[in-house]
Amino acid sequence: MEELRLTVEFLTPTFLGGADQNAELRAAPFKNLLRQWWRVAVGSRYATPETLLAAEGDLFGSVLDENEASTSRVRLALTPVEGSFLLSEKGIFFGETPHPEVKGGMAVKNALYLGFGPITLKNSKRYIAPGSKANLLLSFPREEKVHMVDLLHYIDAFGTIGSRSRNGWGSLSLSGEGFAGKDVRSFATAPVSQLVSDKQGKQYPSLLGADSKGLLCWEVGVPKGDWTAAMQSLAETYMTLRTKINIKPQGLKQRHLLGYPVTNHSLTEWGGNNGRMPSQLRLMVKRSPEDQLVGRILHLPHCLPEDKPWKNSLGPPLEIWKSVHALLDANKHFHRCGGAQ
């Protein structure tokens, strides 16, 4: 067995805990985070979801049924770093943005927009405070070391954890002896046209996407240490991006492809208010190679589920995603990761 000792730093409030969403440091969500990015790191090597699932179960354990169960060959332990780990219930606020679809342009709290659920109009659930650190001990088969280090690079560059983590909450950074962050331009990619194609792509993230301009990741710089400025930029940009994709009148519209459900625009054929299709856009706060905090918007592309009746009504999803990319490219505050400021 091989061991890696890392330090996890939480860069934004992290709603990580039990069913009540009140924060506590738990290993289970980190195990899930490892599995999630393992699929991206190695997913392209497996021809079918079934072979991927079998390989994942062999490494991380599985419980398919009472006759097919295996234990994880990856072990982890988490302990707070004394003096730097803090749970907080302090209110979270980083400005307001007018939402054109709420009462004709009502200002919406950015924190509420990105964190509805653990954050309410009156308060928020207890969370792991930004700046908190924890020790992470990973143990795994020696032959898996290259893959494990690779997926840790993905987590350091793009990973988030906990409730509403796709919206930037639970952003984290990794460090440790023998571990250094990786330049985002050096990650393997595939053409976005291939990844969103129902003939060539997979129905789950298996690679990062790129187009002629590079990696599908946009970045904004913020004052050193100011995670609230990064989250404010992410909230304003995400709100503007979504509202520019038309949703009216009722019925299946392009914005549904950005993530489902959409408030006040449920679709019976997609399961009504109980239907779910997670957004392919991931928001996060990260550390740059220059040790500066940055906000990032990542498009992690994959083809759409076969059970969603969308093709005849909306046309090729690639064209919709191209319009999203164009809006992000036109944003004067953001630039492509690794590109010119």
Side-chain angles (χ1 to χ4, degrees):
M1 299 291 285
E2 190 85 18
E3 286 189 350
L4 283 176
R5 297 178 183 273
L6 301 169
T7 298
V8 180
E9 180 185 5
F10 298 92
L11 302 177
T12 60
T14 303
F15 300 99
L16 185 69
D20 64 356
Q21 297 179 339
N22 279 309
E24 58 181 295
L25 193 62
R26 300 173 63 242
F30 279 86
K31 292 179 181 178
N32 182 65
L33 184 67
L34 291 172
R35 298 177 80 126
Q36 175 189 151
W37 286 100
W38 179 87
R39 294 171 199 146
V40 179
V42 306
S44 62
R45 304 174 190 177
Y46 296 91
T48 66
E50 290 75 20
T51 55
L52 176 72
L53 182 62
E56 181 181 330
D58 177 66
L59 180 59
F60 292 101
S62 68
V63 183
L64 298 179
D65 56 50
E66 61 182 11
N67 298 317
E68 292 187 62
S70 61
T71 59
S72 175
R73 296 193 292 149
V74 177
R75 308 292 174 85
L76 66 85
L78 279 164
T79 55
V81 174
E82 188 175 351
S84 71
F85 189 86
L86 176 67
L87 300 181
S88 177
E89 295 182 5
K90 184 179 178 181
I92 302 172
F93 181 80
F94 41 87
E96 299 178 335
T97 301
H99 194 302
E101 296 170 6
V102 178
K103 296 182 179 180
M106 176 181 173
V108 175
K109 293 181 179 179
N110 293 325
L112 184 65
Y113 180 74
L114 292 181
F116 184 74
I119 296 177
T120 67
L121 284 170
K122 296 182 179 180
N123 54 29
S124 69
K125 297 287 187 179
R126 186 170 67 241
Y127 56 88
I128 299 173
S132 295
K133 294 182 179 181
N135 295 313
L136 172 61
L137 173 62
L138 272 178
S139 177
F140 49 87
R142 183 163 291 127
E143 67 269 19
E144 297 291 338
K145 184 173 183 178
V146 172
H147 293 159
M148 290 300 296
V149 172
D150 197 21
L151 77 87
L152 289 171
H153 281 136
Y154 278 94
I155 291 173
D156 181 56
F158 308 111
T160 55
I161 192 168
S163 182
R164 297 296 182 267
S165 57
R166 289 174 186 262
N167 285 355
W169 308 103
S171 295
L172 50 81
S173 174
L174 300 178
S175 61
E177 186 176 350
F179 180 85
K182 188 175 178 180
D183 189 321
V184 294
R185 292 170 294 185
S186 62
F187 286 95
T189 64
V192 61
S193 57
Q194 172 184 319
L195 295 175
V196 301
S197 167
D198 58 345
K199 294 182 179 179
Q200 297 176 281
K202 302 179 186 297
Q203 293 181 31
Y204 52 88
S206 59
L207 265 176
L208 298 181
D211 60 12
S212 60
K213 295 182 179 180
L215 179 68
L216 299 178
C217 187
W218 292 260
E219 185 173 281
V220 60
V222 296
K224 185 174 178 62
D226 192 355
W227 65 267
T228 61
M231 291 291 281
Q232 181 170 345
S233 289
L234 292 173
E236 292 171 350
T237 301
Y238 193 44
M239 188 184 300
T240 300
L241 177 68
R242 288 182 63 86
T243 55
K244 282 190 175 181
I245 305 296
N246 186 272
I247 194 66
K248 295 180 179 180
Q250 293 292 334
L252 180 60
K253 299 295 175 182
Q254 291 184 347
R255 196 188 302 176
H256 287 107
L257 268 66
L258 272 64
Y260 187 84
V262 180
T263 304
N264 298 324
H265 295 278
S266 65
L267 300 171
T268 302
E269 62 269 36
W270 279 25
N273 291 327
N274 295 320
R276 293 292 183 271
M277 188 176 75
S279 175
Q280 296 183 22
L281 296 176
R282 309 284 185 93
L283 314 183
M284 65 205 70
V285 178
K286 290 293 176 178
R287 287 200 182 280
S288 71
E290 296 75 32
D291 198 31
Q292 300 291 319
L293 286 190
V294 296
R296 286 178 182 163
I297 299 177
L298 173 72
H299 177 199
L300 192 56
H302 55 85
C303 68
L304 297 178
E306 293 179 352
D307 63 344
K308 295 288 188 285
W310 53 271
K311 295 181 185 178
N312 295 333
S313 300
L314 299 180
L318 178 60
E319 296 307 311
I320 300 173
W321 284 115
K322 281 183 176 180
S323 66
V324 172
H325 302 158
L327 288 170
L328 288 168
D329 283 331
N331 188 304
K332 63 181 180 180
H333 300 295
F334 281 76
H335 61 275
R336 292 283 185 127
C337 278
Q341 295 284 344

